[in-house]
Amino acid sequence: MKRVGILTREENLNNKKILYIPKNIYNKLNGKAQVILIPFDFNDNFNKVKGIIDICDGIILPGGDDIYPLELEVAKYLHKLNKPLLGICLGMQTMGVAFNGKLGHLNTLAHKSKDKYVHSVDINKDSLLYSIIGKENIMVNSRHKDYVESTGLTIGAVCNGIIEEVEDKNKRCFIGMQWHPEDLKDENSEKLFNFFINKL
């Protein structure tokens, strides 16, 4: 079975620091790939996690609150290796910023909601995302306060001018989306995860 590394996130619970991964990402991979947690302190240098990344067949960068230099190095390293990378929300932002990108702050709450579906996304027909999903427009969830203003990666989808997906079609699987497909039980989300898994 292929191995997927997921970068952990940090949270304080009862005055204790815990490292975790989103349960629904694990659920999407359960039975399809072996999940390997990549624990790290965000102040670590890249070499401390490189060994774990090297034994994985692919990596997922999950959502979170802040981009750290270590995550930018992970994105660049995977791109160089041509090892599958799936970025979700902050993970997608990390990918965008890692390649000459710039992050901005939204002055609206239109993209931050706990609702199942929040807004539509327009997909470029020439994009990798379109080849995976086969639709020019889909409904997605959305809960982010920042966004990628610009990036050197290809932009595959937008919503009212906001970048919703980045990719590199020249790689086996280098794709990130601003929404959370792990929390949606629909055909589009299944296609995204299946694409990632099939490229491992």
Side-chain angles (χ1 to χ4, degrees):
M1 185 176 285
K2 298 291 187 177
R3 292 177 285 197
V4 175
I6 304 176
L7 269 72
T8 55
R9 295 301 183 200
E10 184 180 297
E11 189 171 296
N12 288 314
L13 184 65
N14 298 325
N15 295 321
K16 291 183 179 179
K17 183 177 77 171
I18 63 167
L19 296 176
Y20 73 96
I21 61 169
K23 180 181 178 182
N24 285 341
I25 292 181
Y26 175 83
N27 290 340
K28 289 286 188 183
L29 298 172
N30 192 21
K32 298 178 180 178
Q34 178 186 354
V35 174
I36 296 178
L37 275 64
I38 304 178
F40 67 96
D41 183 313
F42 288 108
N43 295 314
D44 282 348
N45 63 49
F46 175 70
N47 288 329
K48 287 190 177 180
V49 299
K50 179 179 178 296
I52 301 175
I53 290 172
D54 286 342
I55 67 169
C56 296
D57 298 293
I59 300 293
I60 292 179
L61 291 178
D65 293 320
D66 299 296
I67 297 175
Y68 292 85
L70 175 62
E71 297 173 285
L72 298 173
E73 290 302 311
V74 169
K76 292 175 183 176
Y77 182 65
L78 295 169
H79 187 268
K80 181 179 179 181
L81 286 185
N82 197 13
K83 184 173 285 193
L85 173 60
L86 181 68
I88 297 172
C89 198
L90 181 72
M92 170 265 194
Q93 293 173 4
T94 300
M95 295 167 69
V97 171
F99 292 88
N100 302 314
K102 182 181 178 184
L103 209 60
H105 186 74
L106 290 170
N107 295 316
T108 173
L109 295 178
H111 289 261
K112 189 171 179 64
S113 171
K114 293 182 179 179
D115 291 344
K116 182 178 179 181
Y117 293 107
V118 179
H119 61 71
S120 63
V121 167
D122 296 317
I123 301 173
N124 186 329
K125 288 192 74 172
D126 294 328
S127 68
L128 173 63
L129 182 63
Y130 181 84
S131 71
I132 297 168
I133 293 179
K135 299 174 184 175
E136 291 184 68
N137 186 276
I138 61 172
M139 291 296 296
V140 300
N141 53 16
S142 187
R143 50 179 191 265
H144 62 102
K145 62 185 186 299
D146 297 318
Y147 70 104
V148 176
E149 286 187 359
S150 60
T151 181
L153 295 174
T154 299
I155 298 165
V158 297
C159 172
N160 297 324
I162 300 296
I163 297 172
E164 290 284 336
E165 187 262 5
V166 297
E167 60 183 50
D168 187 337
K169 291 171 69 173
N170 296 316
K171 300 296 181 179
R172 286 165 56 200
C173 176
F174 197 83
I175 184 171
M177 61 285 314
Q178 186 63 76
W179 64 95
H180 288 264
E182 77 276 17
D183 294 337
L184 296 174
K185 296 180 180 179
D186 59 23
E187 180 185 26
N188 302 324
S189 300
E190 292 304 312
K191 285 180 177 179
L192 281 168
F193 274 93
N194 286 338
F195 176 81
F196 172 71
I197 291 166
N198 289 334
K199 292 295 182 177
L200 297 175

